[in-house]
Amino acid sequence: MRVLVTGAAGSIGRVLAPGLVDRGHEVVGLDRVPAPDGFDGSWHVVDAADPDAVAAVFAEERIDAVVHLAGYPGEGSLPESLTSHVVTTAALLDAMVEHDVRRFVYASSNHAVGRTPRTDLLTTSTRPRPDTFYGVGKVAAEAVMSLYADRYGLDVVACRIGSFLPEPETFRQLSTWLSHDDCVRMVEASLTTPAPGFAVLYGVSANTRGWWDLDAGRALGYDPQDDAEEFADRIARREADEAEAAHVGGPFATEEFYRPALDRS
Ligand code: 15L
């Protein structure tokens, strides 16, 4: 499969691009910055929020599927978050419809439901409950995906990623960690699962302390293999752990992240 990966120079992209190539796919990279050393393939220096520039990439390349990773991975103002997550998603989906590309895999986030209090199990049917404007952007991007699945019959998978890191570093991440290898497994399953329509999964590893439902992912063929527990002995407890444990979104759901929606001059 020839896959356009946006944000291919970012932390997930640098792991995913070679991971997909190892699994027999061809990667076309897109990012605002040039290709990282070692990337071997077609690359476009493009802002994914620019619909004309995105459309030009689709006009130039044969693309079978899109993995959309581009976007600022932290909190910003509401307009910044909408541009970073919603406008980019819409630009790609419009180009997909125009060029009959049918599969879209999105790096959504647990912060789309981050304000959900800790319960026994977090399922994919919990209501959208963002913890930040970042989370609002992810919810809205998922809504645009849903619209395009319904209108145009696209197959779209929103992967609500937990903590993508080489290793867990905090107590919360013993539950929310997504290993590098499981991330590649998750995206490949999302690319190849037959006819998902609009689907959501939680992008975490098979963590002993995990409490986010993995069944939706397993139904799509994502079978996580790693477990943060093997690192548990190395994690020092911090004062912030208790507050971070109260909600899905951990630190993003705490008062530290409260800010006005709009920047004023
Ligand atoms: C995310 O979606 C963020 O991009 C990242 O900065 C972390 O906050 C991560 O989730 C997490 O919840 O650990």
Side-chain angles (χ1 to χ4, degrees), residues 73 109-111 134 161-163 172 176 252:
S109 168
N110 72 91
H111 298 290
Y134 171 70
I161 295 173
S163 308
R172 169 177 179 264
T176 63
F252 281 32

Side-chain angles (χ1 to χ4, degrees), residues 28-95:
V28 175
L30 183 156
D31 208 303
R32 291 192 297 193
V33 297
D37 288 345
F39 181 87
D40 182 23
S42 185
W43 188 274
H44 298 265
V45 179
V46 158
D47 183 345
D50 176 345
D52 293 326
V54 168
V57 174
F58 280 73
E60 189 184 326
E61 296 279 359
R62 181 181 63 76
I63 294 166
D64 300 315
V66 174
V67 177
H68 181 28
L69 308 175
Y72 180 63
E75 182 60 322
S77 70
L78 183 60
E80 285 164 350
S81 296
L82 295 179
T83 301
S84 188
H85 308 297
V86 189
V87 173
T88 59
T89 296
L92 289 159
L93 290 172
D94 273 347

